[in-house]
Amino acid sequence: QVQLQESDPGLVKPSQTLSLTCTVSGASINSGGHYWSWFRQLPGKGLEWIGYIYYSGSTYYTPSLEIRLSISIEASKNQFSLKLSSVTAADTAIYYCARNLLGSDVFDIWGQGTMVIVSS
Amino acid sequence: VLMQSPGTLSLSPGERATLSCRASQIVNNNYLAWYQQKIGQAPRLLIYIASRRATGIPDRFSGSGSGTDFTLTISRLEPEDFAVYYCQQYGSSPLTFGGGTKVEIK
């Protein structure tokens, strides 16, 4: 079955760039129709959609993060990645990668999540 | 904005749970989904297009509503249903989530 696994950057210093990778297994990231997405959940809070990338490379970002955000695909490794620049403590969260249900902007396949702490 | 109520629902196994999600503007095409999240786990898709159950979701979970008012009903709570539930709209960009309803054991 399809599985997603986030990398584990652990601690990131303020003002640096957070880099996360999601490795996809059980399916090709180039399979048509799917969006590959990032979400986050601040400590004790609800869910926030960050953005997604289509298999063709088109990207869609949430406006509040767009200026600091980049999502890309590395098809040869069956991975997609997130880079968030100029991080602050407010970016401390659990980050999830996910895949959409075909034809819809809902997400039925999720990674287990990775905790990212922004601290000096 | 999606407002979920109540914030916490205290019920016993076997009881019926009714969770509300109210949108500040009409959700286009009733593109409203519900997720379940347990501690330490990723969200699990339950319902989409307001009332369609996702694959493998038991029929005790049902969704209803349209426009701005939506409801998730769990007909008879099982022990594994005690969790936090989120609604998500995808009728307009950006995708947004409600603040969640915690269903706890009374």
Side-chain angles (χ1 to χ4, degrees), chain B residues 28-105:
Chain B
N28 295 328
N29 302 306
N30 294 327
Y31 281 167
L32 192 287
W34 291 93
Y35 296 81
Q36 175 194 70
Q37 188 178 33
K38 298 180 181 178
I39 294 174
Q41 296 185 17
R44 175 193 181 198
L45 178 66
L46 300 174
I47 301 285
Y48 61 105
I49 317 180
S51 61
R52 193 172 297 181
R53 268 190 301 275
T55 302
I57 301 304
D59 60 8
R60 64 180 181 274
F61 290 92
S62 63
S64 63
S66 64
T68 60
D69 289 302
F70 299 88
T71 300
L72 174 70
T73 301
I74 310 171
S75 59
R76 288 179 313 279
L77 283 164
E78 298 287 340
E80 62 268 26
D81 299 337
F82 291 91
V84 179
Y85 292 84
Y86 294 97
C87 57
Q88 176 219 330
Q89 71 79 26
Y90 54 107
S92 59
S93 188
L95 310 180
T96 52
F97 290 84
T101 290
K102 181 180 180 181
V103 179
E104 65 175 21
I105 299 177

